[in-house]
């Protein structure tokens, strides 16, 4: 499925950053990855391996040094409403209410206010925040903020979701709940998802495939297809032998000493 | 903090002000200071309040306010506009940064004679001076505030289909608002002070002129009144600005 | 690879030259009355500096400024530090400071002159008033931010209250105090020029308006240049001093702004 007609086609991508000392730092090197329509792919790796950079390049927020990203066959030249980002930092607009945040993208795209309000209320219901439309982001907990951010991105119906460690700043309990909710939402319309995380369990639980990265420079070490039945239920998976095997296998992959230790 | 503690601190805070006024009145009352050199606070303030009904005095006040607000409004427009633009455009930033470095610590009041020579003795030269004095704190606060805006806010907007320029003047501007408003408040008080000084140095109307006129005629009471007027105007504007700031920044995190 | 724009001092130098060239071109081609070309003003600068009387004027201005500035530091830093470490002291001074914050200090010149005459004392007092406020404010903020645990450890080591203020609070608050001093220094110059422009007795501010009255426009602009350079140079020198004294702290990118 991934190879036949990819929605995201990453072709030998590299990114070099200039440092303050005038040297250059190779953040990611020669990454190729194809993501199929409706596929949920996780990018898994230790911190500093460049996995977020990879996502930002797909989002069009940063430019690659070499290589290219094709979305639906067209090269990415900048951000666009076909790729909706969700960040670990939530990045909600503090001056807008929850409803205002969710309506933002629609209003900017010229949808009239009435329609935008209806759509935003619908999405708030989907993320279980109907009662919070008139709250400001600062009045919400971290988990609620991330629900708003997800609703804000889904509002303008992106074809692809780019999720940058979206649950990384949340406590364990909230994290599990949001993972379940995300899978519920995904089961409904099966968007293409690129999901960056450093949690092995999270990646295995959510994904169709997991791309494991090494650091300095970031490369894809191996891509593991996760062959587990959907819809997935967390309680069932935890006792599922295959799930456990995947987790152990990937943990081992990540444990292996890096090919060469480098000062980054 | 409990209510009683707050009230207690307020009382402690009023103490030096009351003491100072008391000392002032006492000096006059006990005839240590001749009233020609130091009129008592009661005399000065009653004079101030009686002048509030005097159309001529109010006319001078209106002239000062006009210059103050024109210069300040211009400074806000240019300072905020350039500050935001400098964050979005490398060329603007490359030109602006060294200019600010050189011009910010220069005493702008020294430019006043140049403004008088090129713009004349009337409103324009005073407005120009208020503008150059108020624009730097606003510009700096805007630029620094806009520089530290979380880039992911902009990315979120760009992903929703918003253009780079539009994101700059909506998202970056709004995200930098706390810093911008701080700069504007500093600029406003500076504007207040500078407009008064410009009128003292060279003018035929306005509150500053009233002070100089009174000094020439050795009318000590009338020397105190304009200073009190401009200071009260400054305090009122500062308070009004804080109220406006609280309204505008409803949703923003407290810590700023 | 080092770009030319990275050399420290190069961009500001370019900015100065750019400003002068811009001024010169505007004056020559737009022919605004009252605006001589930059070159004409520049030619007057050595004339002023070579005139012993004018030079004495300028030097006495600087002397007053320095005295007022340091007198303000001696007074304002301890007050600010005490405010930062004691709620009672802060509560006592804060409303008073807030009330006199919007008072134009240089505007007090005519009244102070009435009491103390036209001499140095009046001018130094006005500068003292102008510098004190920002220095108190920043010392206060700096002392307030000193970590309580640092003071606890000092107290545990047997350090008394005055020693703690001098040996812990003062150094810890130093970076913030330096920000206050920098603003204060710019304010000292501004207050000095302004008060001289108002008093019209002597000093740089007086040269400005004397030459204006005598329609010696080149001289007016040359004096403006001299004052401008003084402001910039003082700020640069102070930044060097700050780096030497409080360089361990985060570099403060704040550029001093202020007004009398």
């Amino acid at each position: 499925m991934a190879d036949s007609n990819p929605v995201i086609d990453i072709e030998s991508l590299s990114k070099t950053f200039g440092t303050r000392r005038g040297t250059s730092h190779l953040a990611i090197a020669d990454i190729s990855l194809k993501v199929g329509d409706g596929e949920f792919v996780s990018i898994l790796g230790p911190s500093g391996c460049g996995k977020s950079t990879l996502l930002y390049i797909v989002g069009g927020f940063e430019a690659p040094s070499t290589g290219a990203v094709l979305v639906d066959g067209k090269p990415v030249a900048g951000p666009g409403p076909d790729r909706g980002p969700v960040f670990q930092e939530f990045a909600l607009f503090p001056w807008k209410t929850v409803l205002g945040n969710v309506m933002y993208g629609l209003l900017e795209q010229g949808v009239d206010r009435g329609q935008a309000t209806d759509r935003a209320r619908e999405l708030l219901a989907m993320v279980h925040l109907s009662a919070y439309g008139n709250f400001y982001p600062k009045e919400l907990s971290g988990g609620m903020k991330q629900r708003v951010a997800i609703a804000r991105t889904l509002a303008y119906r992106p074809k692809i979701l780019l999720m940058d460690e979206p649950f990384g700043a949340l406590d364990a309990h909230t994290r599990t709940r949001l993972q379940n909710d995300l899978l519920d939402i995904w089961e409904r319309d099966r968007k293409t998802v690129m999901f960056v995380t450093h949690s092995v369990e999270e990646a295995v639980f959510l994904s169709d495939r997991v791309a494991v990265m090494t650091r300095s420079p970031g490369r894809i070490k191996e891509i593991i297809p996760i062959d587990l039945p959907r819809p997935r239920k967390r309680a069932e998976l935890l006792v599922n032998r295959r799930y456990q095997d995947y987790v152990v296998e990937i943990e081992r992959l990540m444990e292996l000493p890096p090919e060469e230790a480098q000062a980054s | 903090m409990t209510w009683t503690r707050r009230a207690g601190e307020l009382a402690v805070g009023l103490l030096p002000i009351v003491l100072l006024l008391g000392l002032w009145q006492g000096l006059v009352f006990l005839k240590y200071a001749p009233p020609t050199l130091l009129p008592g606070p009661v005399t000065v303030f009653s004079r101030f309040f009686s002048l509030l009904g005097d159309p001529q005095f109010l006319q001078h006040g209106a002239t000062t306010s006009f210059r103050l607000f024109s210069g300040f409004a211009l400074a806000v427009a240019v300072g905020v506009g350039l500050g935001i633009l400098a964050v979005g455009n490398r060329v603007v930033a490359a030109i602006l940064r060294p200019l600010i470095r050189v011009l910010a610590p220069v005493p702008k009041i020294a430019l006043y004679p140049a403004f008088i020579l090129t713009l004349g003795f009337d409103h324009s030269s005073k407005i120009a001076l208020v503008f150059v004095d108020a624009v730097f704190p606003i510009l700096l606060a805007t630029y620094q505030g806009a520089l530290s805006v979380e880039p992911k806010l902009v990315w979120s907007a760009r992903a929703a289909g918003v253009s780079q320029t539009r994101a700059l003047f909506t998202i970056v501007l709004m995200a930098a608002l706390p810093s911008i408003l701080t700069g504007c408040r500093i600029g406003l008080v500076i504007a207040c002070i500078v407009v008064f000084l410009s009128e003292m140095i060279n003018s035929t109307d306005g509150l500053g002129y009233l002070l100089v006129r009174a000094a020439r005629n050795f009318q000590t009471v009338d020397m105190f009144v304009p200073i009190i007027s401009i200071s009260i105007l400054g305090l009122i504007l500062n308070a009004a600005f804080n109220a406006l700031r609280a309204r505008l920044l409803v949703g923003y995190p407290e810590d700023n | 690879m080092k770009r030319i724009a990275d050399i420290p001092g190069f961009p500001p130098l370019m900015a100065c030259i750019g400003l002068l060239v811009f001024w010169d071109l505007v004056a020559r081609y737009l022919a605004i009355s009252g605006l001589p070309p930059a070159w004409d003003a520049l030619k007057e600068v050595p004339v002023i500096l070579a005139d012993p009387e004018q030079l004495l004027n300028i030097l006495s201005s600087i002397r007053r400024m320095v005295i007022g500035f340091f007198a303000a530091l001696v007074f304002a830093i301890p007050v600010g530090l005490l405010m930062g470490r004691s709620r009672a002291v802060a509560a006592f001074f804060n409303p008073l400071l807030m009330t006199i914050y919007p008072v134009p200090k240089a505007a007090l010149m005519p009244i102070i002159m009435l009491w103390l005459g036209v001499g140095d004392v009046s001018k130094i007092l006005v500068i003292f008033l102008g510098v004190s406020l920002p220095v108190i404010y920043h010392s206060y903020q700096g002392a307030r931010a000193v970590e309580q645990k640092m003071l606890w450890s000092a107290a545990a080591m047997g350090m008394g209250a005055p020693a703690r203020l001098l040996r812990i609070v003062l150094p810890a608050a130093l970076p913030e105090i330096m920000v206050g001093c920098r603003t204060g220094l710019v304010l000292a110059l501004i207050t000095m020029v302004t008060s001289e422009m108002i008093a019209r007795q002597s000093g740089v501010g007086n040269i400005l308006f004397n030459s204006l009255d005598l329609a010696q426009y080149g001289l007016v602009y040359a004096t403006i240049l001299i004052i401008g350079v003084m402001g910039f140079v003082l700020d640069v020198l102070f930044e060097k001093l700050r780096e030497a004294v409080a360089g361990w702290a985060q570099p403060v990118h704040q550029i001093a702004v202020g007004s009398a």
Side-chain angles (χ1 to χ4, degrees):
Chain A
M1 163 166 110
D3 296 316
S4 59
N5 204 1
V7 171
I8 305 170
D9 189 352
I10 301 167
E11 287 172 353
S12 48
L13 204 68
S14 300
K15 175 78 181 178
T16 315
F17 289 108
T19 66
R20 279 193 184 182
R21 291 177 193 165
T23 58
S24 59
H25 168 70
L26 185 60
I28 54 178
D30 195 30
I31 287 188
S32 295
L33 178 70
K34 293 186 200 311
V35 181
D37 188 21
E39 198 184 9
F40 198 124
V41 172
S42 284
I43 315 292
L44 179 69
S47 59
C49 75
K51 55 192 190 296
S52 292
T53 305
L54 174 63
L55 198 77
Y56 299 159
I57 294 173
V58 176
F61 309 122
E62 282 180 12
S65 301
T66 58
V69 177
L70 305 178
V71 168
D72 277 334
K74 289 188 263 324
V76 166
D82 53 338
R83 287 151 289 142
V86 176
F87 300 107
Q88 182 180 5
E89 300 88 346
F90 321 130
L92 294 173
F93 305 131
W95 58 93
K96 286 183 185 291
T97 59
V98 166
L99 195 66
N101 266 284
V102 179
M103 286 166 68
Y104 173 77
L106 297 169
L107 292 179
E108 287 292 339
Q109 288 174 5
V111 176
D112 78 51
R113 191 161 276 277
Q115 270 181 314
T117 313
D118 291 346
R119 168 88 178 137
R121 293 211 180 282
E122 195 182 297
L123 280 154
L124 283 181
M126 190 163 96
V127 296
H128 316 300
L129 284 174
S130 293
Y132 292 91
N134 293 322
F135 282 59
Y136 282 100
K138 74 166 175 189
E139 298 167 302
L140 307 182
S141 69
M144 290 157 98
K145 281 182 197 163
Q146 196 54 291
R147 288 166 196 274
V148 177
I150 292 172
R152 177 180 68 177
T153 300
L154 290 175
Y156 53 84
R157 296 189 170 87
K159 186 173 181 176
I160 300 162
L161 273 184
L162 300 174
M163 307 188 86
D164 177 25
E165 300 196 48
F167 310 139
L170 308 177
D171 63 79
H173 176 69
T174 313
R175 195 177 172 128
T176 329
R177 281 194 54 186
L178 275 163
Q179 285 168 357
N180 291 331
D181 290 350
L182 176 64
L183 274 192
D184 284 347
I185 293 168
W186 182 77
E187 292 289 351
R188 269 183 239 180
D189 50 10
R190 294 263 174 164
K191 285 188 189 304
T192 307
V193 180
M194 255 181 97
F195 191 101
V196 164
T197 179
H198 59 254
S199 156
V200 178
E201 287 89 351
E202 185 170 72
V204 175
F205 175 54
L206 295 171
S207 318
D208 295 321
R209 286 190 295 153
V210 176
V212 180
M213 284 181 70
T214 56
R215 58 179 299 182
S216 293
R219 291 178 202 276
I220 292 185
K221 188 170 193 182
E222 206 166 324
I223 299 177
I224 318 243
I226 307 293
D227 187 14
L228 290 169
R230 290 193 189 265
R232 293 176 187 164
K233 288 274 169 290
R234 191 177 179 82
E236 291 168 18
L237 274 190
L238 285 177
V239 294
N240 182 322
R241 188 58 204 266
R242 279 219 325 262
Y243 168 82
Q244 294 163 356
D245 286 346
Y246 281 129
V247 172
V248 172
E249 181 190 347
I250 295 173
E251 289 277 10
R252 288 229 174 94
L253 262 177
M254 292 179 69
E255 253 172 39
L256 285 177
E259 291 131 57
E260 50 192 287
Q262 276 183 347
S264 60
Chain B
M1 188 162 42
T2 60
W3 187 85
T4 42
R5 182 152 190 192
R6 203 181 276 260
E9 290 195 345
L10 190 70
V12 171
L14 286 176
L15 203 64
I17 298 178
V18 172
L19 275 178
L20 221 61
L21 285 173
L23 181 74
W24 180 5
Q25 184 66 56
L27 281 175
V28 176
F29 187 73
L30 297 172
K31 307 239 177 345
Y32 280 114
T36 45
L37 285 185
L38 184 68
V42 176
T43 324
V44 169
F45 277 95
S46 59
R47 177 90 180 148
F48 170 68
F49 285 113
S50 74
L51 276 176
L52 283 183
D54 177 5
Q56 238 190 332
F57 177 77
L58 293 179
Q59 182 61 45
H60 284 290
T63 306
T64 302
S65 307
F66 167 70
R67 292 164 179 162
L68 162 65
F69 288 119
S70 310
F72 177 67
L74 215 60
V76 171
V78 172
V80 173
L82 275 183
I84 296 288
L85 211 61
V87 173
N89 189 308
R90 277 158 194 259
V91 179
V92 176
I95 295 174
L96 216 52
R97 288 172 59 109
L99 274 181
I100 293 176
R101 180 73 195 84
V102 170
L103 292 180
V106 165
K108 261 66 75 179
I109 191 100
L111 292 173
Y112 191 36
F115 290 144
I116 293 175
L117 283 176
T118 50
L119 300 171
F121 292 91
D122 208 19
H123 293 315
S124 333
S125 55
K126 278 115 199 142
I127 293 173
L129 185 67
V130 170
F131 166 75
V132 292
D133 246 314
V135 76
F136 282 96
I138 299 174
L139 176 59
L140 274 169
T142 305
Y143 181 63
Q144 278 161 359
L147 264 188
S148 55
V149 167
E150 166 64 75
K152 279 156 195 164
L153 284 179
V154 179
W155 292 359
S156 298
R158 296 276 285 121
V162 176
S163 76
Q164 186 87 55
T165 316
R166 184 165 165 77
L168 198 58
F169 282 95
T170 54
I171 303 301
V172 175
L173 181 78
M174 285 306 287
L177 199 59
S179 176
I180 293 175
L181 289 179
T182 304
C184 287
R185 206 190 58 189
I186 298 171
L188 187 60
V189 175
I190 289 180
C192 227
I193 292 172
V194 167
V195 74
F196 190 81
L197 294 176
S198 74
E199 289 172 351
M200 280 182 73
I201 295 167
N202 191 297
S203 183
T204 51
D205 49 5
L207 293 174
Y209 163 70
L210 287 185
L211 168 54
V212 175
R213 190 179 65 179
R216 253 183 242 137
N217 302 326
F218 293 104
Q219 293 164 323
T220 347
V221 182
D222 288 328
M223 286 170 70
F224 279 88
V225 172
I227 290 189
I228 287 170
S229 311
I230 195 74
S231 305
I232 291 178
L233 183 66
L235 283 175
I236 291 173
L237 287 178
N238 200 21
F241 200 88
N242 278 339
L244 176 77
R245 180 189 159 93
R247 269 192 72 92
L248 285 176
L249 300 185
V250 170
Y252 291 77
E254 250 42 71
D255 178 39
N256 202 293
Chain C
M1 190 181 73
K2 201 159 188 181
R3 287 176 308 149
I4 194 160
D6 292 335
I7 300 166
F10 180 76
L13 185 71
M14 283 310 290
C16 291
I17 295 172
L19 278 173
L20 288 174
V21 169
F22 177 73
W23 166 12
D24 205 80
L25 291 178
V26 166
R28 279 179 207 281
Y29 291 100
L30 298 184
I32 299 169
S33 69
L35 184 67
W39 182 240
D40 292 8
L42 277 175
K43 277 191 297 196
E44 294 285 340
V45 172
V47 177
I48 296 179
L49 295 180
D51 180 345
E53 198 194 335
Q54 304 281 49
L55 194 62
L56 203 67
N57 251 333
I58 294 172
L59 288 177
S60 66
S61 285
I62 294 175
R63 187 179 57 87
R64 286 192 293 267
M65 188 186 93
V66 169
I67 296 175
F69 176 71
F70 282 104
L73 292 198
V74 169
F75 166 74
I77 294 176
V79 171
L81 292 183
L82 280 174
M83 279 174 68
R85 292 323 307 173
S86 153
R87 281 191 77 106
V89 177
F92 184 80
F93 280 111
N94 254 335
L96 179 68
L97 294 178
M98 259 173 58
T99 316
I100 55 176
Y101 168 55
V103 177
K105 314 296 174 298
L108 298 174
M109 199 60 200
I111 293 175
I112 293 178
M113 271 165 33
L114 207 61
W115 301 337
L116 303 176
V118 292
D120 279 1
V121 184
S122 304
K123 287 167 192 155
I124 291 173
L125 181 62
V126 171
I127 293 169
F128 170 83
L129 289 174
V131 176
S132 292
L133 233 58
V135 178
I136 290 181
Y137 175 78
H138 284 281
S139 310
Y140 168 51
Q141 295 297 341
R144 221 163 57 142
V146 174
E147 228 180 296
Q148 191 64 47
K149 281 175 191 143
M150 212 148 55
L151 291 169
W152 286 344
S153 342
M157 287 186 274
M159 221 185 249
R164 287 204 297 270
L165 198 65
L166 194 67
R167 291 179 44 196
I168 307 288
V169 178
L170 180 65
L174 202 57
E176 186 67 26
I177 293 175
M178 294 306 271
V179 174
C181 291
R182 193 172 173 191
T183 313
L185 193 64
V186 173
L187 268 177
L189 184 64
I190 294 172
T191 317
M192 173 197 98
V193 174
T194 314
S195 65
E196 286 169 359
M197 283 164 95
I198 290 169
R200 300 271 188 99
Q201 293 296 327
S202 66
V204 191
N206 187 44
I207 302 179
L208 262 181
F209 272 86
N210 265 348
S211 34
L212 183 65
D213 291 342
L214 299 172
Q216 294 169 315
Y217 296 164
L219 213 59
V220 173
Y221 283 91
T223 315
I224 293 175
L225 280 175
I226 291 174
I227 297 172
V229 169
M230 274 164 69
F232 180 65
V233 168
L234 275 177
D235 195 51
V236 169
L237 287 179
F238 196 84
E239 180 54 24
K240 291 261 179 282
L241 179 72
R242 190 200 66 78
E243 261 168 37
V245 174
W248 49 271
Q250 292 286 319
V252 185
H253 288 296
Q254 192 179 344
I255 293 174
V257 273
S259 189

